[in-house]
């Protein structure tokens, strides 16, 4: 997994978590996908960019999840998810992946 960019891990968690919740109708299952990918990304962020950067990126990941809900009321669910996912992926790449 070390070769997979953290931006992709985080993006997979956000998009995959929403997709699983939507397609299965089980929000808890989507939350599990979100949490597992987030934990994996956070661990890698800490290794690649240090504890402070990992904390900031983890906060951005959680904020993206939370922020996608009110944004979805304005632009729709999938556009909101893709929008916040892009922001987190870009931040992840800039802070952690670009160096490797």
């Amino acid at each position: 997994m070390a070769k997979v960019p953290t931006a992709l891990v985080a993006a997979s968690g956000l998009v995959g978590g929403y997709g699983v919740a939507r397609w299965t109708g089980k929000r808890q299952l989507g939350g599990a996908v979100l949490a597992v990918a987030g934990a994996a990304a956070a661990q890698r962020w800490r290794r690649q960019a240090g504890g402070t950067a990992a904390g900031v990126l983890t906060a951005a990941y959680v904020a993206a999840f939370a922020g996608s809900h009110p944004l979805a009321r304005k632009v729709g669910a999938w556009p909101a998810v893709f929008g916040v996912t892009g922001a987190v992926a870009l931040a992840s790449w800039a802070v952690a992946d670009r160096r490797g």
Side-chain angles (χ1 to χ4, degrees), residues 24-82:
T24 65
K26 302 198 182 299
R27 293 175 68 188
Q28 299 86 350
L29 190 55
V33 171
L34 179 80
V36 168
Q43 188 176 43
R44 296 264 314 279
W45 289 328
R46 186 174 43 254
R47 236 181 298 142
Q48 289 177 222
T52 301
V56 169
L57 289 169
T58 300
Y61 184 82
V62 172
F65 166 70
S68 68
H69 291 81
L71 183 59
R73 286 187 224 115
K74 296 178 189 263
V75 300
W78 280 112
V81 170
F82 287 137

